[in-house]
Amino acid sequence: MSDLDAISAILYCVQDQFSGQLTIYSASVPNEDWRLHYYMGRVIWASGGVHPLRRWRRAIARTCPGLDLSGLKFPNPNNDPFWEYDILCNFQDQQQLNRQQFQKVVVDCIVEVLFDVLQKSQGEVLVGKLCEGTRRQKPRVVLKGEALLNYAEKQWQQWCEADFAAHSPNLAPVIANNSLLKSSLSDKVYRRLSLLVNSHNTLRDLSVIIKKDLIELTESLMPRIQKGALELVRVPDLNGTLTPTQHSRGSVTTELKKTDLAQKPTPEAPLIACIDDSLQNCELLERVLQDGGYSSFFILDPLQAIPELIARKPALIFLDLIMPVVNGYEVCAQIHRVEQLKDTPVVFLTSQDGLIDRVRAKLVKASGFLSKPVDPDTVLETVERLVTTAKSSGDTSSSR
């Protein structure tokens, strides 16, 4: 049959009980395409688009943030459109995902694809091309295409009603005019915002990271975007090792400003890093370290930690154990595989420190555990002990 416009093709697949792949692409410049996969008129998966790995990561973080994605390697999505789906199947087979979680991740991915198709179709003609046949003869879940499309249309309508139709949620906010931004905010809000808007995380990413509704988040940023203090920029997808591809603008962290009430760190004060997806935990630890006279910086997204740690070379790293997508054990192992960081002490921040946890910590060469919420005296004692020990060890080695 001849090609249809995108929405007509989606509805045709449902009505004709189509089995196979529907590819949706631009009729003018096909630099972005999406693939919907059907079984007997039901949707079983969606792939493609501008950020397939970010989309998949977000869906998992929303539904099962404790799932361990460490060590995963991904094929070229153009060669295998089912790679994300196959990994989810493996997780379900290993009982790391139940059926409800599996279906929720799949639904989230499909709805995001449909939303992007709806938004793209407002400005240009999108064409749907059908290819019959699928290797998924017995899919794990089959979903009603019309219901999913209606749900995506509702989200798109809400996005339009908020007057965001001209802006894609796949864009990333970045500071365009620092002085203008700073002058319009309190110091506390400025510090929070400068940690988040770093051009590495899209609006959708930030919505998951700070656990805030996407429209509500965008509404809070839009006045600064309209005034020129912030701007929205395109960013690449994550690469196949679940770390971001290089981007020329911005930094994943901003060193927080010190208050006049805190003890001023000396120029020789050790620099301490904290990797935690909770901004509240970061700010609490900041105050403790400031009172102890230490400099500090914070990383909210563990997937972006390694480049920042290499650039800043902290004397000690506090690392949250339970974070979305990748856990503290894997981040710790990555840290100690890097030549510049292999001797840096890493201390886990956690509410779980049983025997198994401590054994796993030893395997990845962690230097200790601190319970949450952190005790200020224990934090400072830990820093003094480990930083002094590491420095003494380094001095001894260098004198040989």
Side-chain angles (χ1 to χ4, degrees):
M1 62 175 296
S2 59
D3 294 342
L4 302 170
D5 70 87
I7 306 304
S8 297
I10 292 172
L11 296 176
Y12 171 85
C13 290
V14 175
Q15 296 164 0
D16 202 54
Q17 297 189 346
F18 174 74
S19 293
Q21 176 178 295
L22 167 61
T23 302
I24 297 173
Y25 60 93
S26 170
S28 53
V29 182
N31 55 1
E32 185 178 354
D33 59 42
W34 302 265
R35 293 173 291 278
L36 292 165
H37 307 274
Y38 288 84
Y39 179 76
M40 300 294 293
R42 300 292 183 97
V43 187
I44 60 176
W45 184 238
S47 55
V50 66
H51 292 153
L53 185 49
R54 285 180 186 269
R55 178 174 62 238
W56 185 76
R57 172 193 163 194
R58 284 193 299 269
I60 290 177
R62 279 190 291 262
T63 302
C64 37
L67 189 62
D68 185 3
L69 303 183
S70 60
L72 293 179
K73 294 183 178 179
F74 307 104
N76 186 328
N78 294 324
N79 297 334
D80 185 4
F82 274 99
W83 62 266
E84 307 125 302
Y85 189 94
D86 288 338
I87 293 173
L88 292 176
C89 290
N90 289 336
F91 280 133
Q92 188 180 20
D93 292 341
Q94 296 164 9
Q95 298 184 337
Q96 297 184 57
L97 277 179
N98 59 39
R99 179 178 174 82
Q100 290 73 26
Q101 290 172 320
F102 182 96
Q103 179 167 317
K104 179 65 167 59
V105 173
V106 171
V107 168
D108 281 359
C109 289
I110 294 172
V111 170
E112 270 202 20
V113 165
L114 291 172
F115 179 100
D116 289 347
V117 168
L118 288 169
Q119 183 167 34
K120 194 78 170 181
S121 66
Q122 304 305 305
E124 53 189 284
V125 177
L126 297 183
V127 175
K129 183 175 182 179
L130 301 177
C131 180
E132 293 189 13
T134 176
R135 63 184 177 90
R136 290 285 160 188
Q137 297 303 319
K138 294 183 179 180
R140 301 286 175 107
V141 294
V142 290
L143 304 160
K144 293 182 178 180
E146 285 185 274
L148 292 171
L149 183 59
N150 289 337
Y151 186 55
E153 282 184 316
K154 182 179 179 181
Q155 289 190 353
W156 167 242
Q157 186 60 39
Q158 291 172 339
W159 189 254
C160 292
E161 290 172 356
D163 202 22
F164 300 150
H167 306 284
S168 169
N170 294 317
L171 296 175
V174 61
I175 297 175
N177 187 320
N178 191 59
S179 59
L180 178 60
L181 180 67
K182 189 175 180 181
S183 65
S184 65
L185 300 170
S186 67
D187 286 345
K188 182 177 181 180
V189 174
Y190 171 77
R191 288 200 304 269
R192 285 175 173 268
L193 194 57
S194 59
L195 274 171
L196 295 170
V197 292
N198 49 53
S199 82
H200 289 295
N201 294 308
T202 67
L203 292 169
R204 279 174 166 156
D205 295 335
L206 288 176
S207 173
V208 175
I209 289 172
I210 66 175
K211 300 177 177 64
K212 192 171 185 178
D213 176 75
L214 176 61
I215 290 180
E216 185 181 352
L217 167 70
T218 308
E219 285 176 337
S220 68
L221 296 176
M222 193 55 66
R224 271 79 196 181
I225 295 171
Q226 293 170 342
K227 291 179 180 179
L230 299 175
E231 65 177 324
L232 295 173
V233 300
R234 295 180 181 274
V235 293
D237 197 11
L238 306 178
N239 65 30
T241 56
L242 273 180
T243 56
T245 51
Q246 292 297 318
H247 194 271
S248 59
R249 300 192 60 175
S251 170
V252 68
T253 64
T254 299
E255 185 171 358
L256 301 185
K257 300 183 68 175
K258 310 299 183 283
T259 66
D260 293 335
L261 297 177
Q263 179 180 340
K264 299 297 183 180
T266 66
E268 297 80 19
L271 181 63
I272 311 301
C274 177
I275 306 172
D276 195 318
D277 64 311
S278 168
L279 188 56
Q280 182 179 4
N281 290 339
C282 288
E283 291 181 332
L284 174 60
L285 195 58
E286 175 208 17
R287 290 192 293 270
V288 173
L289 293 170
Q290 283 179 355
D291 290 343
Y294 295 102
S295 300
S296 58
F297 68 98
F298 303 94
I299 300 173
L300 293 174
D301 188 345
L303 297 180
Q304 306 192 42
I306 299 300
E308 190 74 11
L309 293 173
I310 292 174
R312 307 292 289 273
K313 298 180 178 62
L316 183 144
I317 302 166
F318 287 108
L319 175 60
D320 187 24
L321 184 58
I322 304 300
M323 294 178 288
V325 182
V326 59
N327 63 38
Y329 297 116
E330 173 58 16
V331 176
C332 185
Q334 291 176 357
I335 289 170
H336 287 131
R337 284 196 291 265
V338 176
E339 181 65 27
Q340 302 96 313
L341 303 171
K342 65 179 182 180
D343 297 322
T344 306
V346 177
V347 176
F348 284 131
L349 303 174
T350 180
S351 56
Q352 57 182 56
D353 58 351
L355 177 61
I356 294 177
D357 301 301
R358 293 186 177 275
V359 170
R360 290 188 69 183
K362 288 183 180 180
L363 293 176
V364 294
K365 302 179 181 178
S367 299
F369 275 83
L370 286 184
S371 297
K372 287 183 175 182
V374 296
D375 174 67
D377 291 338
T378 305
V379 169
L380 297 178
E381 288 171 4
T382 300
V383 173
E384 183 176 357
R385 173 174 56 85
L386 292 175
V387 170
T388 302
T389 301
K391 187 175 187 303
S392 300
S393 175
D395 292 342
T396 302
S397 300
S398 62
S399 64
R400 291 178 182 174

